Amino acid sequence: MTEQIEALLKSHGFDHFGWTGLEKPLSLSIYKQWIDEGLHGEMEYLRRHLADKENPSNLLARASSAIVVTRSYLPHPRPHAPLKAAPVALYARGEDYHRWFREELESVARELKSLFPSEAFLTATDSMPVLERDLAYRAGLGWIGKNTCLIHEKRGSLFFIGEILTTLQLTASLEPQPDRCGTCTRCLDACPTGALVAPRKLDARKCISYTTIESKSPPEPGLRELNSSFYYGCDICQTVCPWNVKAHGAALAPSTPASRDEILADLRLVLRSSGNQLEKLFLGTPLRRASPRHHKTNAIVLAANLGLAELTEEIKTAAEQYPQLAELGAWALQKISRAPTS
C-alpha cells in the first residue's frame, strides 16, 4: 500500500513527503498556551478551530492518518506579480496557492480513491484547521526551527505544506528529524520588531506578516516605524536562516533590487486605486486576503518609512476616504515632512 502511495506522489511531482498516524498533536499544549496568552492577536479563528485541530476526525469521520507533502515556492511554481516592485513575501509572489496547491492535492486524492475505493480522503492546506507543522514533523519532513517554521536540512523552509487526511491506516514513514538549530539565533536577532520573543515563540501582534495581512487595525506607532522592508508579509526570519542560505543561496536575494522610483509607482497605484480596482488587481493571488483599506494602510506605512514625499497628496486622499486611517495618515505626513531630502 505505501509503495503505491509513494509511486503516486512521485508521479505528481512530489519528492518531499511522508505520512503519520493522527494521534494527539505533539504541540497541542503549546498551541493552547499560545492562544491563552493572547499571542495570536485578532486571529480569533485560531481559537475557534482548536477542537478540530485537536481531533481531525471532526473534519473527516474515522480519519486515522495523514499523508503530508510539500511544494517549494522558491522559485515560485506559478509566478504572478500584480505589484512589480513593492516588497512582497516570497510565498505571495504568485497565484494563490490555496487554489492550485489544493487542486494538486485533490488530483492525488482522486487517484487514491480509485486505488482504495472503500477509504475516504480529505485534502487540506493551511486554510483548513489542521496543525500542519505538527503533522509534517511527525511525518519526518523537518524539525520546528526557532523561527517557528518547519525546516529541512536540504530544503530549508521555503515551501508550502499540504495534507491528505485519510481513513487508511498508515504509520510514520520516516523518523522525526532532530533539532538542527543548535546555538544559532539569527532569526531572533534579525526580526526588526522583536516578534520572536523566545525560540519557537512568536508574538503575532508584533510580526510584520500579521500587521500587513491579518490585523484589522493600523499597526501601533512603535511597530510601524520598524517596517521599511516589506509591503505585504515578511521573510526575514527565514531568509537569514543558514539552512535556507545553504538550500537556496543567491536565489534569496534579487540580482537587481527595486529602485525607489519603481516602489513609488507601485505605492501610488495602490493609493490611487478604488477598492474595486484593488480587488480586481489582486484577484487570484494571496494579496487578495487583505482588504483594500489594509492595502492602503500598508502603502502609507511604507511610503512614510521610505520618505516618499511624492505621495503626500495620495496619503491625504486615502486618509479622507477611510476615517480609520486619519491618525495613520497624519503620522505619515509628519514623518515624511521630517525626512531628509535627497
Side-chain angles (χ1 to χ4, degrees), residues 3-206:
E3 289 178 356
Q4 287 177 292
I5 295 172
E6 182 174 347
L8 176 58
L9 291 171
K10 288 181 177 178
S11 73
H12 282 262
F14 292 110
D15 59 1
H16 188 209
F17 56 81
W19 38 84
T20 184
L22 289 175
E23 295 87 8
K24 180 180 179 180
L26 295 172
S27 61
L28 186 64
S29 61
I30 298 172
Y31 182 79
K32 287 181 176 179
Q33 181 180 352
W34 183 72
I35 294 288
D36 289 342
E37 291 179 15
L39 300 181
H40 63 306
E42 299 172 279
M43 298 181 288
E44 278 303 306
Y45 61 87
L46 297 179
R47 187 190 297 275
R48 293 196 301 270
H49 294 166
L50 183 56
D52 292 336
K53 290 177 176 177
E54 184 171 4
N55 187 6
S57 63
N58 291 348
L59 305 173
L60 177 67
R62 300 184 297 107
S64 61
S65 309
I67 300 168
V68 189
V69 303
T70 71
R71 182 69 86 196
S72 174
Y73 55 79
L74 188 65
H76 203 291
R78 305 260 184 122
H80 178 63
L83 297 178
K84 306 304 179 185
V88 171
L90 293 167
Y91 84 89
R93 298 178 187 180
E95 297 176 16
D96 189 351
Y97 63 96
H98 296 101
R99 295 184 180 183
W100 61 262
F101 191 30
R102 186 74 174 268
E103 289 171 357
E104 290 183 344
L105 295 172
E106 289 286 353
S107 180
V108 173
R110 285 193 295 270
E111 293 192 44
L112 285 170
K113 184 67 175 179
S114 68
L115 289 172
F116 309 104
S118 62
E119 305 292 347
F121 304 89
L122 177 68
T123 63
T125 61
D126 63 2
S127 61
M128 290 280 282
V130 175
L131 289 175
E132 60 177 10
R133 284 170 295 175
D134 191 289
L135 289 173
Y137 168 75
R138 287 194 281 127
L141 302 188
W143 73 93
I144 306 301
K146 292 179 182 178
N147 60 4
T148 76
C149 297
L150 183 80
I151 304 174
H152 186 272
E153 61 178 329
K154 294 183 179 179
R155 301 171 185 271
S157 64
L158 299 171
F159 47 71
F160 302 116
I161 304 172
E163 303 80 35
I164 301 176
L165 305 183
T166 177
T167 54
L168 286 170
Q169 298 286 333
L170 300 172
T171 55
S173 54
L174 300 168
E175 290 292 324
Q177 287 206 0
D179 177 6
R180 292 187 169 92
C181 286
T183 60
C184 179
T185 59
R186 293 186 194 181
C187 55
L188 283 81
D189 300 337
C191 179
T193 59
L196 290 165
V197 294
R200 301 175 183 84
K201 188 172 185 178
L202 174 74
D203 186 344
R205 299 167 299 181
K206 297 180 179 180

